[in-house]
Amino acid sequence: MLYKENNIPEESFIDLMSNTTFTDKQIDKRVKAMEARVYPAATELNLNRIATGAASGAYTPTDEEAAAVAEFSTFLQEMAAYKEVVIADNNLLIETIAYEKATARLEQYPLADGKPEWVEHIFKGWDMDEEGNQIPICETVTHPAINPLPPMVPGYDDDGNEIQVPNPEIVKDEAERAAAQTIVDSTSDAAKGLADDRKPEVVPNPCED
């Protein structure tokens, strides 16, 4: 991690391209450890004693001590600002990961609708034709249609009588989709932009040309 001349890190330690997030407690502990590397506990205690004594009038610090206390105070203020940047990055990453999971959930077909037959062209490698030109080796796989689930299934009322009830699998699927849509609708533009940046590079499939 790079540091500025005043020992403040140049960048947040949150890796926005990873899926590693932190709790507030973990962030606080890590920032305190960074502070301790610059101002060990004994040094911090001594500077705080000087500052407290000067504030109460019980002690008159030397010019060197006063300068050290002022520098320490500035350092703590800048580290507090740095911590806010870390927290903001962490919250953005948490929001982005939730958005990615929600969009992935919505990309799944609704159980009530089923899924039509679809064809997949699988790239298996490269070969050469008779003229020495490189040609792709492809495999075409046709996936059968997936039928929709029945909207109603047998069930029982409170008296034990057999009745038709909403299919619980569809109910669960629709609830999960609704929850995912709520997340997508409430996601900030910043998180959506980060999600775009985090998408893996799409390698063209030569079998789909």
Side-chain angles (χ1 to χ4, degrees):
M1 179 178 292
L2 297 177
Y3 288 82
K4 300 178 183 177
E5 292 182 0
N6 57 359
N7 292 304
I8 305 299
E10 287 278 5
E11 298 178 350
S12 164
F13 60 75
I14 304 297
D15 182 358
L16 295 176
M17 294 298 111
S18 76
N19 288 331
T20 302
T21 59
F22 297 81
T23 64
D24 289 343
K25 185 176 181 180
Q26 288 172 325
I27 291 174
D28 185 65
K29 182 178 180 180
R30 187 157 178 172
V31 170
K32 287 186 182 305
M34 295 166 69
E35 293 174 350
R37 284 197 292 268
V38 181
Y39 286 93
T43 303
E44 180 179 356
L45 179 61
N46 185 50
L47 290 171
N48 283 331
R49 284 175 175 171
I50 293 172
T52 301
S56 66
Y59 178 75
T60 301
T62 65
D63 291 344
E64 183 178 353
E65 289 174 333
V69 169
E71 183 178 340
F72 176 56
S73 177
T74 299
F75 171 77
L76 291 181
Q77 291 174 14
E78 293 184 350
M79 283 301 295
Y82 169 75
K83 181 180 176 181
E84 291 302 314
V85 172
V86 171
I87 291 173
D89 281 352
N90 189 59
N91 289 339
L92 176 61
L93 181 56
I94 291 172
E95 182 185 13
T96 301
I97 292 172
Y99 172 75
E100 291 170 341
K101 290 180 178 179
T103 53
R105 181 63 183 85
L106 291 173
E107 287 172 358
Q108 299 176 24
Y109 71 91
L111 298 183
D113 298 341
K115 186 175 182 179
E117 176 184 283
W118 76 99
V119 177
E120 183 179 10
H121 302 287
I122 303 174
F123 173 62
K124 308 290 286 187
W126 294 100
D127 198 358
M128 294 287 185
D129 62 16
E130 294 179 355
E131 298 177 354
N133 298 313
Q134 192 177 53
I135 57 174
I137 303 172
C138 303
E139 178 182 351
T140 299
V141 178
T142 300
H143 298 274
I146 300 175
N147 294 325
L149 295 182
M152 306 294 288
V153 295
Y156 297 91
D157 62 17
D158 294 339
D159 296 324
N161 300 312
E162 186 171 332
I163 59 173
Q164 291 291 305
V165 298
N167 191 323
E169 291 187 56
I170 292 179
V171 172
K172 180 175 181 291
D173 180 59
E174 291 179 344
E176 290 178 353
R177 295 180 67 83
Q181 188 62 58
T182 297
I183 291 174
V184 170
D185 292 342
S186 62
T187 298
S188 66
D189 290 340
K192 291 178 180 178
L194 177 57
D196 287 338
D197 293 339
R198 284 162 52 90
K199 288 180 180 177
E201 181 180 356
V202 177
V203 179
N205 185 348
C207 296
E208 295 180 347
D209 291 343

